[in-house]
Amino acid sequence: MKYFLEYNDKKYSNVDLIEAFKKLGIKKGDILCVHTELFNFGTPLLPRNEFLQTILDCFFEVIGKEGTLIMPTFTYSFCKNEVYDKLNSPTKMGALNEYFRRWGGVKRTNDPIFSFAVKGAKEELFLKDTTSCFGENCVYDVLTKENGKLINFGDTLSFTYFHYPEEYFGIYYRYNKTFKGLIIDENKQTHKKSINFYVRKDSLYPNATKIKNFLISTQNYKNISFGGDSIFISDVKQIFTSTLKSFKNHQYIYL
């Protein structure tokens, strides 16, 4: 047992986190896509890297060697006219995501805007090249087909996944825009690439709270308190099905 976190004079161990994951229904062989926000959980009791490693170890303890862990490592490189360097372009998606990206054996996708770091039994399925950030063969497309789960580790209100059913449906408030640039791959070779991003029209912002409430209303946003925050889980295929159904009724449901 290793205590790694303290909140309101209570200490939390890796065993506590593993039990929390199990109570959420996470099991061996699961494919998890994890968005993170660590600030509100409490005070780390370990040095930075050991603290972050402990969290990763808890995920893999529960999903096992049969499972796959995915974390967003978005860079928006082509949107900023920057080169996307798969090995060296950092992400600002959180300390845990950046640590995971740099961890040994982790692979990164080719998307120069919305990349992901992946490690596990089915990692190769998520490394296919794609011509659209949220189209066929993107991480969210494969995650849906493979019955994956979305995790918000902390109340991040991160619902980037919804861009996938938006593009699949052809939602009225977004349109495809092509971005071009250079990618430096794992072998330090430079390649030209173009990719479509289903961008929003001006002044039309999907509301994250409305998305969260939608997930709750469809009974697809299970959560458990941990330290000073919570951990949330949703079934991806259920999100996809229920979202397409809602779009057929009114496309502005999340605005």
Side-chain angles (χ1 to χ4, degrees):
M1 179 183 293
K2 179 189 294 186
Y3 288 102
F4 71 102
L5 183 75
E6 184 174 3
Y7 179 77
N8 278 354
D9 297 322
K10 180 180 179 180
K11 294 181 179 180
Y12 294 83
S13 72
N14 56 335
V15 175
D16 296 323
L17 184 55
I18 288 168
E19 286 304 308
F21 287 157
K22 290 180 178 179
K23 287 179 180 178
L24 286 171
I26 301 172
K27 61 186 185 302
K28 298 290 185 186
D30 273 349
I31 302 173
L32 306 179
C33 183
V34 183
H35 288 257
T36 66
E37 178 60 84
L38 303 182
F39 293 118
N40 295 321
F41 279 106
T43 303
L45 298 176
L46 300 171
R48 182 182 184 277
N49 286 358
E50 187 178 358
F51 172 77
L52 298 174
Q53 186 64 52
T54 298
I55 297 173
L56 292 181
D57 289 344
C58 290
F59 275 114
F60 279 104
E61 176 65 27
V62 180
I63 65 175
K65 293 182 180 179
E66 316 95 299
T68 304
L69 186 64
I70 305 166
M71 288 190 179
T73 55
F74 307 160
T75 61
Y76 309 102
S77 298
F78 280 16
C79 298
K80 299 182 290 185
N81 293 316
E82 295 176 354
V83 173
Y84 171 53
D85 186 330
K86 289 183 69 176
L87 293 181
N88 298 306
S89 292
T91 181
K92 294 184 178 180
M93 296 298 293
L96 184 62
N97 301 49
E98 177 66 4
Y99 180 82
F100 179 59
R101 179 187 76 80
R102 297 166 62 90
W103 192 29
V106 173
K107 297 181 180 180
R108 197 178 194 182
T109 64
N110 285 331
D111 192 317
I113 301 174
F114 293 96
S115 65
F116 290 82
V118 190
K119 184 174 185 177
K122 294 188 175 181
E123 61 189 34
E124 293 299 327
L125 293 178
F126 295 91
L127 299 174
K128 301 173 184 175
D129 211 8
T130 178
T131 58
S132 177
C133 297
F134 300 106
E136 186 177 6
N137 290 332
C138 76
V139 164
Y140 290 137
D141 178 48
V142 179
L143 191 69
T144 303
K145 293 172 180 175
E146 293 294 321
N147 297 306
K149 296 175 180 178
L150 281 179
I151 305 286
N152 274 354
F153 193 78
D155 196 5
T156 67
L157 290 180
S158 296
F159 300 113
T160 313
Y161 172 83
F162 279 77
H163 297 335
Y164 169 61
E166 284 175 336
E167 179 165 338
Y168 186 93
F169 183 84
I171 204 75
Y172 85 94
Y173 53 78
R174 289 187 178 273
Y175 65 97
N176 267 318
K177 182 176 180 179
T178 301
F179 291 83
K180 298 180 180 181
L182 298 176
I183 291 179
I184 301 175
D185 66 19
E186 301 89 339
N187 301 314
K188 299 183 180 180
Q189 299 297 309
T190 301
H191 309 273
K192 292 181 179 179
K193 183 176 176 65
S194 64
I195 193 165
N196 289 328
F197 172 16
Y198 205 48
V199 299
R200 60 174 175 78
K201 296 178 181 177
D202 290 343
S203 303
L204 293 174
Y205 295 90
N207 185 302
T209 301
K210 286 186 177 181
I211 294 175
K212 179 179 177 179
N213 290 337
F214 171 77
L215 291 174
I216 293 171
S217 72
T218 57
Q219 299 182 329
N220 192 20
Y221 203 54
K222 187 177 181 181
N223 72 87
I224 189 170
S225 295
F226 192 84
D229 212 326
S230 296
I231 307 166
F232 303 83
I233 187 168
S234 298
D235 176 87
V236 170
K237 187 162 285 187
Q238 185 180 337
I239 294 176
F240 182 72
T241 302
S242 59
T243 301
L244 290 184
K245 184 178 179 180
S246 71
F247 284 159
K248 290 177 182 178
N249 293 326
H250 44 98
Q251 296 189 36
Y252 50 84
I253 185 172
Y254 302 130
L255 298 182

